[in-house]
Amino acid sequence: METKKKSKKSVIIAVVVVLLVAFGAYFAYAFFDVFKSNKTIYLEAEAKEMNNLSKKVEEYNKQYNEYIAPYLEGAVEQKMEISNLNIDMEVPDPQVQKVMDLLKDSKLIMESKMDDTNKKNYVKVNFNVKNSNLIGAEFFYDAEKLAFGAPALYNKYGYFNWKDKAVIKQKYDMDIPDKIPSQKEYVELIQIPSKELKPIIREYAKLYADSIKDEQVSVKKGATFEENGVKLAAREITVTFTPEQYKQLMKNIVEKISKDEKLQDLLYPRYQKLVELTGSGRSEEDLPKLSKEEFKKKFAEFKEETDRSLNKADFGDGVKMIVYVDRNDNILSRTIEFNNKNAGQKDVLKLASFQDNEKQDRVVFNVSSTKSGDRESIFTITYVNKKDGDNSKGNVKLNVTEKMGNTPMSDFKADADFTLAKDGNKENQDVNIKLYVNGNNTDPIALAWKGATTENDKDKTRAADYKVEINLPKNDPTMPPTMPKKIGFTIKNDEKFDVGEVKLPALGVQNSINLATLTDQQMMQIQQEIQSSVGQYVMKNMQLFQQLGIMPPGAGNMVQ
């Protein structure tokens, strides 16, 4: 009995030891890279990066679909108004000052009604001065016809039926598309279902992974990732490609693209749709209409051309990629270097995306090219965003520099601060942008807008009200003294969703002209009518034209 108890105890202890060893080995493998090859460590980070990117794309796609949905599912009315124009500038001419004063009381009003489902669209633009309509235009179409007019100048619309586009082409030498594409068609063109795209991307990821040899990868543990003053613990992974390895990888990818029927089946219907939407295929400059076989043949031609280019190309010393990875396999940054010492050229591409210790999201994108003679071109974008729930506060910087040695040849900078704050169904925006055309050596061009967008789900409306201000350089000797120092205006935009049926203006003999059936005699009569109508228009607005300086005093008697 005693022996059996000892035996059972020994078995239990043995099982516990095995489990401890197994769990220890698992955690060592999963979290501490023990037993993993350098290639495995690197590819796990790439897999995590692909998964993170897929989630971000799906989230952005979801947000876009939510924003665009009201335009695709029902009729929408929109009214945009630009007003309160204020221009700060030296005005030595009293007449010009009168014009400036009138512009303060002017409004540009754009109204539209859109019904994507029933292919109806109506747009009206008016320019009002002192609450009086000075000039305007209308444009509308449906599945049968397209029409336009300028009511202030002539009381009839011009129109044509889509079926008569060949007649319009012959009479007026105008290329008319088969139709005006709907927003839904454009959305369907650019959106690719992830369930169709992911399997294709997965195959290319496998091709890349299979091409990497363990000796190409080195891992430095306990390294420090450093970017813009931020330091984070990381592993430094270096992947190197000899010129021949890089060339072969490119050839393998091109080979797969040329024979990838899944990719071709995914792209061909979208190519057909693009040709249709752009009205292409009518001239040599347009996208050609291709059959499925012709489309596939283009992939084979692409392979032949690319292979010839790759065979001629000089990849110098090869390609080196440096990747910094945190303990959770998230890639913090990726730097790709193309170095050709013999040619005296080095090209570097860098992308960093990480969160600093203050929970700020940071992105850095940098492209630099150095050529023999110390000529260097640098393009950099940096982005910092601190999120607090639905609120955000951050900065975006852009820098484009070209220099010879330490001497700048050109230097353009842009610096933008933004604050987005949610308050219930209202989002407040405060954005300030500064543009430096010559580095920091001159005053910047400053653009700022501040305002709010309010959504009302119950009334199915969205309203935006913003104040915009543009400040031009004050001490720039290249700017003439009469240039404006400051320009300000307000923008209001109101949208109503699911408004029901969009009714277009009714067209009849009394208020419209069919351009397809118009005779030369009718054309002469219309020209006379327009001339008379324009004369009445000028007389009606004579006082305003004189204030604007368009017509001299006493011009009314001349017109009469």
Side-chain angles (χ1 to χ4, degrees):
M1 194 72 177
E2 186 96 14
T3 305
K4 285 185 179 181
K5 286 183 179 179
K6 285 183 179 180
S7 177
K8 285 183 180 179
K9 189 181 289 186
S10 298
V11 171
I12 292 170
I13 292 171
V15 170
V16 170
V17 169
V18 169
L19 288 174
L20 286 173
V21 171
F23 278 116
Y26 169 76
F27 282 109
Y29 180 87
F31 298 104
F32 300 104
D33 299 334
V34 179
F35 312 130
K36 293 181 184 179
S37 68
N38 289 340
K39 176 180 175 179
T40 301
I41 293 171
Y42 164 61
L43 292 179
E44 284 183 350
E46 289 287 14
K48 181 74 175 290
E49 179 74 1
M50 184 179 291
N51 186 49
N52 290 340
L53 179 60
S54 177
K55 289 179 180 178
K56 287 180 181 178
V57 170
E58 288 179 2
E59 179 60 29
Y60 291 143
N61 193 43
K62 179 184 176 184
Q63 292 174 2
Y64 175 75
N65 287 337
E66 289 174 353
Y67 180 84
I68 200 70
Y71 290 91
L72 306 180
E73 296 170 356
V76 179
E77 291 183 359
Q78 184 175 13
K79 181 179 180 180
M80 178 184 289
E81 182 180 296
I82 301 175
S83 59
N84 297 320
L85 178 64
N86 188 18
I87 303 175
D88 180 10
M89 60 182 289
E90 293 182 16
V91 186
D93 188 343
Q95 185 60 48
V96 175
Q97 185 59 56
K98 289 182 181 179
V99 174
M100 303 294 289
D101 292 339
L102 283 172
L103 287 176
K104 290 180 181 179
D105 292 328
S106 66
K107 291 182 180 181
L108 181 64
I109 302 172
M110 292 165 279
E111 298 178 67
S112 66
K113 299 176 183 179
M114 296 166 281
D115 185 348
D116 208 61
T117 304
N118 296 304
K119 300 187 184 330
K120 289 184 177 182
N121 204 323
Y122 172 83
V123 179
K124 179 170 71 172
V125 180
N126 282 325
F127 181 64
N128 295 349
V129 178
K130 287 190 172 181
N131 295 320
S132 177
N133 177 230
L134 181 62
I135 193 69
E138 292 180 54
F139 170 84
F140 54 92
Y141 64 85
D142 57 18
E144 296 179 357
K145 61 186 175 297
L146 179 147
F148 57 89
L153 298 177
Y154 190 50
N155 62 357
K156 292 183 180 180
Y157 296 104
Y159 80 94
F160 63 84
N161 293 309
W162 295 110
K163 64 182 178 64
D164 295 329
K165 67 186 186 71
V167 178
I168 298 297
K169 166 68 175 174
Q170 184 179 12
K171 285 174 69 79
Y172 306 102
D173 194 26
M174 293 172 56
D175 276 324
I176 306 297
D178 295 332
K179 63 176 183 177
I180 296 179
S182 66
Q183 294 189 70
K184 185 176 182 180
E185 288 175 308
Y186 279 119
V187 170
E188 290 175 346
L189 176 68
I190 62 174
Q191 286 191 334
I192 300 177
S194 59
K195 65 180 181 180
E196 296 181 37
L197 188 59
K198 280 183 178 179
I200 295 174
I201 293 177
R202 198 175 292 122
E203 289 185 15
Y204 286 88
K206 185 178 184 305
L207 184 152
Y208 174 73
D210 290 343
S211 72
I212 301 293
K213 298 180 176 61
D214 197 59
E215 57 265 26
Q216 288 178 252
V217 185
S218 64
V219 177
K220 179 182 177 182
K221 299 177 182 179
T224 301
F225 163 72
E226 189 170 356
E227 185 67 49
N228 286 352
V230 178
K231 294 183 179 181
L232 299 172
R235 290 164 291 171
E236 181 185 303
I237 302 174
T238 303
V239 185
T240 57
F241 298 86
T242 65
E244 192 55 42
Q245 285 173 333
Y246 182 72
K247 181 189 294 186
Q248 191 58 51
L249 173 61
M250 293 297 102
K251 284 189 173 185
N252 290 344
I253 292 173
V254 171
E255 171 79 15
K256 181 165 181 58
I257 290 174
S258 69
K259 297 179 179 179
D260 193 338
E261 293 190 359
K262 291 180 181 178
L263 178 63
Q264 294 164 11
D265 291 342
L266 183 70
L267 296 179
Y268 180 64
R270 288 167 174 81
Y271 177 83
Q272 282 184 304
K273 194 68 177 177
L274 181 62
V275 172
E276 177 190 335
L277 296 182
T278 56
S280 297
R282 294 193 295 266
S283 68
E284 293 182 0
E285 291 79 16
D286 292 338
L287 287 172
K289 292 182 178 179
L290 300 174
S291 66
K292 184 71 174 289
E293 290 305 312
E294 289 172 330
F295 186 74
K296 289 185 175 182
K297 188 177 178 182
K298 292 291 182 183
F299 281 78
E301 292 173 0
F302 162 73
K303 178 187 180 305
E304 292 174 4
E305 292 174 6
T306 307
D307 281 348
R308 282 195 295 268
S309 298
L310 288 170
N311 289 331
K312 293 177 183 177
D314 179 10
F315 294 107
D317 308 314
V319 179
K320 180 168 72 171
M321 178 166 61
I322 302 170
V323 180
Y324 282 93
V325 180
D326 68 12
R327 66 186 303 271
N328 296 317
D329 287 334
N330 295 306
I331 292 181
L332 304 175
S333 78
R334 184 194 307 272
T335 303
I336 303 174
E337 298 179 0
F338 300 86
N339 201 0
N340 192 330
K341 292 180 182 177
N342 292 333
Q345 182 168 343
K346 183 177 182 180
D347 300 311
V348 180
L349 184 148
K350 181 177 185 179
L351 175 62
S353 179
F354 58 97
Q355 194 173 75
D356 62 22
N357 294 322
E358 296 178 2
K359 302 299 181 182
Q360 295 183 121
D361 294 325
R362 290 178 175 266
V363 176
V364 178
F365 177 72
N366 178 274
V367 178
S368 65
S369 179
T370 306
K371 299 180 181 179
S372 56
D374 291 333
R375 189 184 185 95
E376 185 177 15
S377 301
I378 303 171
F379 175 87
T380 305
I381 297 176
T382 60
Y383 164 84
V384 181
N385 184 18
K386 178 66 177 291
K387 292 183 179 179
D388 181 11
D390 292 328
N391 302 330
S392 298
K393 185 175 184 179
N395 172 268
V396 180
K397 286 184 172 66
L398 182 146
N399 190 10
V400 182
T401 304
E402 190 166 350
K403 59 184 180 179
M404 182 70 75
N406 294 322
T407 305
M409 299 174 65
S410 63
D411 192 4
F412 173 80
K413 294 182 179 178
D415 193 340
D417 294 312
F418 63 88
T419 301
L420 309 176
K422 288 278 286 185
D423 182 12
N425 62 346
K426 184 177 181 180
E427 181 181 78
N428 298 290
Q429 289 188 18
D430 189 354
V431 181
N432 293 276
I433 302 172
K434 293 181 179 180
L435 306 175
Y436 298 87
V437 180
N438 190 23
N440 294 321
N441 298 325
T442 58
D443 288 338
I445 299 171
L447 168 65
W449 69 84
K450 186 175 183 178
T453 299
T454 304
E455 295 196 37
N456 189 321
D457 293 335
K458 183 180 179 181
D459 295 337
K460 297 182 180 180
T461 62
R462 181 162 56 210
D465 191 349
Y466 289 89
K467 183 178 180 181
V468 181
E469 191 172 281
I470 304 169
N471 287 278
L472 299 175
K474 298 177 181 178
N475 301 316
D476 189 344
T478 63
M479 300 283 282
T482 54
M483 282 292 290
K485 295 179 177 63
K486 182 190 294 185
I487 302 172
F489 55 90
T490 59
I491 299 178
K492 292 183 179 180
N493 188 48
D494 294 314
E495 297 166 283
K496 294 181 180 180
F497 305 111
D498 197 16
V499 294
E501 183 183 1
V502 170
K503 293 184 179 180
L504 303 180
L507 300 181
V509 177
Q510 299 300 320
N511 74 335
S512 64
I513 302 162
N514 188 337
L515 300 178
T517 60
L518 189 65
T519 65
D520 292 341
Q521 185 177 355
Q522 289 173 322
M523 176 70 80
M524 291 178 63
Q525 181 182 345
I526 291 168
Q527 287 174 346
Q528 292 174 356
E529 290 175 355
I530 291 176
Q531 187 176 359
S532 174
S533 181
V534 169
Q536 295 174 20
Y537 166 76
V538 172
M539 289 301 301
K540 178 183 176 182
N541 295 284
M542 181 59 67
Q543 184 178 359
L544 180 58
F545 288 151
Q546 289 173 344
Q547 287 179 292
L548 290 171
I550 298 174
M551 302 289 287
N557 297 326
M558 296 168 56
V559 173
Q560 289 177 332

